[in-house]
Amino acid sequence: MGDEGGGFGGGGGGGGFTSTTTGDMSDHYLQGPMREAATKDAPAKERRSIMASNYPPSSGPGLTIITPQGSESHVEDAASVISRASADRRSSLHVPGTPRSNLTKHTIYRHFHRPSGELKNAEALERRFRAHKIRNEARYSYGDLLRVRASVIPRVLVPALLHTIWGTLWTCLYMLTDFRWFAIGSQLITILGVVISLLLVFRTNTAYDRYWEGRRTWATLVTQIRNLARFVWLGVQTRDDPHQSIERRGAMNLLLAFAVATKHYLRNELGHRYTDLHHLLVHLPDFRPGVAHPDIKNLPLEISFHISSYIAKCRQQELIDISQQTAMTNSLSAMVDCLTSFERIRNTPIPLAYSIHLQQTLTVYILALPFQLVQQVYWGTIPIMFIAAFTLLGIESIGGEIENPFGYDENDLRIEDFCHTTREELQRVMSRPTKLDPSKWTIPVAEPLPFFGARPSETTLTGDEKIIVNVVKDKH
């Protein structure tokens, strides 16, 4: 006879009940349904002969369930069954904080989660000393004001200085000579300012949408690789065949190769001769050392063909069923769909006419600033020219910086880190056993009930537990 939920074990003959004793209700609650098979055969009158008695002096008022006949022999039979349980199972029935000397053979305590003070202190120390490592990765500080790396300063500094020199020449001509006919009103700033703002906002939003879509699509690719890795490693039954085990590991390498090959393909790095990719494909006939390698431009798509052939072979050998084949095929199709989305982002830039018109309009706007500012701010036109040129040209350059997020620039997506993380995850998966047996699980720890410190509510208990609660109410 086994136990279920750590709370019930069948006795011998006549559908007898196990003697189950619980301690203080504030510490140990009756949780989980007892086995229905133990009570369904007993008549209703016999089931109601459950008596509340036996108050262990060490644990306070308790509840003992005896057999309908009240015979002590049935209790002893159940106790003998419990005593034959494994040492691990007996240890899992022990409640933290309760002396093991109080745990008799015929006493079964529910295992509830009781927070440990030592664990709380350890968590507090962990948060205190590692808080600086748990921050938003996009950290900004005043030191970034002078930062050149990953900024647009190298791209806009020279154009901004050229525009400033242009403004300086007209300012000196206005301030040092009587040649002032070129000064005009500031109405042009207002008119062109609105147009420039709309163009820059559309430019940057479009570029960031492409950047974010690339990141979101790569996350989808990682999700499908994880799903397919789970199907391959745990779902394919190799039947202890060494050759099938080798094929399964080869399929796991192909999953990682798909991500790495996609990275190189998006950077226009064709072929497979790369340190992070070649060793993942050497088990394929076309990529073995010493043979003529085929000229493949779209390597990720070629890898998907090999993964698809592996799935078909597993189904042909009945290593997977139809539902698993469908799920694996859907994951592979989603991976190819991600590859197509990457190609669309890379091969569809902002229309050239829009980019040219934005740069032309922006240049005309900046070159016209000294004619409108010099008669109002005089020498202040020079620094204003530099600030305006640096700001507007910088915003336009940011759009071009993140338009293609798959390169090597500082502001591109960290595809190298994404591939490295995927490699580590798949390596950990392949270091695990290929079969996980739930029958080896022990009794799980139960979370505290919402009525902690009070008697259980009948609305939260099942049928057998409601009977016990009613007996307790009648007793007291």
Side-chain angles (χ1 to χ4, degrees):
M1 303 293 291
D3 61 299
E4 187 171 0
F8 187 83
F17 294 91
T18 307
S19 176
T20 306
T21 304
T22 59
D24 188 1
M25 296 296 290
S26 63
D27 292 333
H28 314 296
Y29 287 107
L30 298 173
Q31 175 197 328
M34 295 188 300
R35 187 176 301 171
E36 295 181 0
T39 58
K40 66 180 182 180
D41 296 333
K45 293 183 179 180
E46 292 183 347
R47 278 189 287 175
R48 293 195 176 275
S49 64
I50 299 174
M51 300 175 59
S53 60
N54 188 10
Y55 295 86
S58 60
S59 60
L63 178 66
T64 299
I65 305 173
I66 63 176
T67 58
Q69 297 84 357
S71 174
E72 229 8 74
S73 62
H74 292 282
V75 177
E76 291 297 328
D77 291 340
S80 63
V81 174
I82 299 174
S83 63
R84 290 194 300 267
S86 63
D88 294 337
R89 182 57 58 88
R90 288 199 303 270
S91 62
S92 65
L93 295 175
H94 179 253
V95 178
T98 303
R100 289 189 179 273
S101 60
N102 296 334
L103 189 62
T104 60
K105 291 189 301 180
H106 60 280
T107 304
I108 301 178
Y109 287 101
R110 306 286 183 171
H111 193 175
F112 289 93
H113 171 68
R114 299 175 64 85
S116 171
E118 295 181 358
L119 290 179
K120 289 184 178 180
N121 295 335
E123 291 176 1
L125 291 175
E126 186 76 10
R127 294 190 185 100
R128 180 182 302 174
F129 292 104
R130 295 185 181 271
H132 63 284
K133 297 183 179 181
I134 310 175
R135 294 180 180 175
N136 187 357
E137 294 185 0
R139 297 189 300 268
Y140 303 101
S141 62
Y142 291 105
D144 294 334
L145 295 175
L146 303 177
R147 182 177 178 179
V148 177
R149 184 179 180 181
S151 68
V152 294
I153 293 178
R155 299 183 60 178
V156 304
L157 183 59
V158 174
L161 291 177
L162 293 178
H163 285 89
T164 304
I165 293 174
W166 167 267
T168 302
L169 294 177
W170 290 103
T171 302
C172 293
L173 186 63
Y174 182 87
M175 297 298 297
L176 300 179
T177 65
D178 294 334
F179 192 72
R180 300 181 177 182
W181 61 267
F182 56 85
I184 59 177
S186 59
Q187 291 80 6
L188 185 61
I189 295 179
T190 304
I191 297 174
L192 289 182
V194 176
V195 178
I196 292 296
S197 300
L198 294 176
L199 292 176
L200 290 177
V201 167
F202 179 78
R203 178 73 172 91
T204 53
N205 286 346
T206 304
Y208 185 76
D209 286 342
R210 296 163 58 86
Y211 181 90
W212 176 245
E213 185 180 2
R215 179 64 186 94
R216 183 177 57 186
T217 306
W218 194 276
T220 303
L221 175 62
V222 172
T223 300
Q224 299 304 328
I225 290 177
R226 290 172 177 173
N227 291 335
L228 194 51
R230 186 181 74 251
F231 293 141
V232 170
W233 194 251
L234 296 178
V236 177
Q237 305 298 326
T238 58
R239 302 172 183 172
D240 298 330
D241 187 347
H243 186 69
Q244 293 177 354
S245 300
I246 293 175
E247 292 178 350
R248 178 168 56 187
R249 287 188 173 272
M252 296 291 288
N253 283 352
L254 290 180
L255 295 179
L256 177 59
F258 186 92
V260 178
T262 300
K263 176 193 68 174
H264 291 291
Y265 175 71
L266 295 176
R267 294 173 174 176
N268 289 324
E269 298 171 349
L270 305 181
H272 67 284
R273 298 182 181 276
Y274 301 99
T275 57
D276 57 348
L277 178 60
H278 180 265
H279 66 283
L280 299 174
L281 302 174
V282 292
H283 62 284
L284 299 178
D286 293 337
F287 300 95
R288 291 174 182 174
V291 301
H293 302 303
D295 184 14
I296 301 175
K297 295 183 178 181
N298 195 335
L299 185 57
L301 187 61
E302 179 70 17
I303 294 174
S304 69
F305 295 157
H306 290 280
I307 298 177
S308 180
S309 65
Y310 173 76
I311 296 174
K313 182 179 180 181
C314 289
R315 176 55 192 152
Q316 183 180 6
Q317 297 179 350
E318 296 185 353
L319 303 180
I320 57 176
D321 54 22
I322 297 178
S323 61
Q324 289 176 312
Q325 181 187 17
T326 302
M328 296 171 70
T329 304
N330 291 339
S331 296
L332 181 59
S333 300
M335 292 168 57
V336 177
D337 183 65
C338 291
L339 175 63
T340 305
S341 298
F342 290 141
E343 292 176 333
R344 173 172 51 83
I345 295 173
R346 185 195 64 175
N347 300 331
T348 311
I350 299 296
L352 185 60
Y354 179 85
S355 299
I356 293 176
H357 183 70
L358 175 60
Q359 293 179 356
Q360 292 174 346
T361 306
L362 191 59
T363 302
V364 171
Y365 178 79
I366 296 175
L367 294 179
L369 285 179
F371 306 128
Q372 305 170 73
L373 298 177
V374 67
Q375 64 178 354
Q376 298 178 5
V377 295
Y378 305 111
W379 293 106
T381 303
I382 299 176
I384 292 177
M385 281 290 298
F386 179 78
I387 295 173
F390 180 82
T391 302
L392 297 177
L393 294 177
I395 295 175
E396 192 274 335
S397 298
I398 290 175
E401 185 78 12
I402 64 177
E403 183 179 3
N404 183 7
F406 306 120
Y408 290 97
D409 296 334
E410 291 288 339
N411 294 297
D412 290 336
L413 293 174
R414 298 177 300 174
I415 305 180
E416 297 284 352
D417 295 341
F418 300 157
C419 293
H420 181 70
T421 302
T422 303
R423 177 180 290 104
E424 291 181 344
E425 291 178 352
L426 294 182
Q427 288 176 351
R428 282 193 292 266
V429 170
M430 289 189 288
S431 65
R432 300 280 298 174
T434 58
K435 296 181 180 179
L436 301 177
D437 189 4
S439 63
K440 298 181 180 180
W441 295 358
T442 58
I443 298 178
V445 176
E447 289 291 335
L449 297 178
F451 45 82
F452 189 83
R455 290 183 179 273
S457 173
E458 295 186 7
T459 58
T460 60
L461 300 179
T462 57
D464 292 330
E465 294 173 335
K466 288 181 180 180
I467 296 176
I468 299 174
V469 174
N470 292 332
V471 172
V472 174
K473 289 182 179 179
D474 296 339
K475 178 69 176 180
H476 298 286

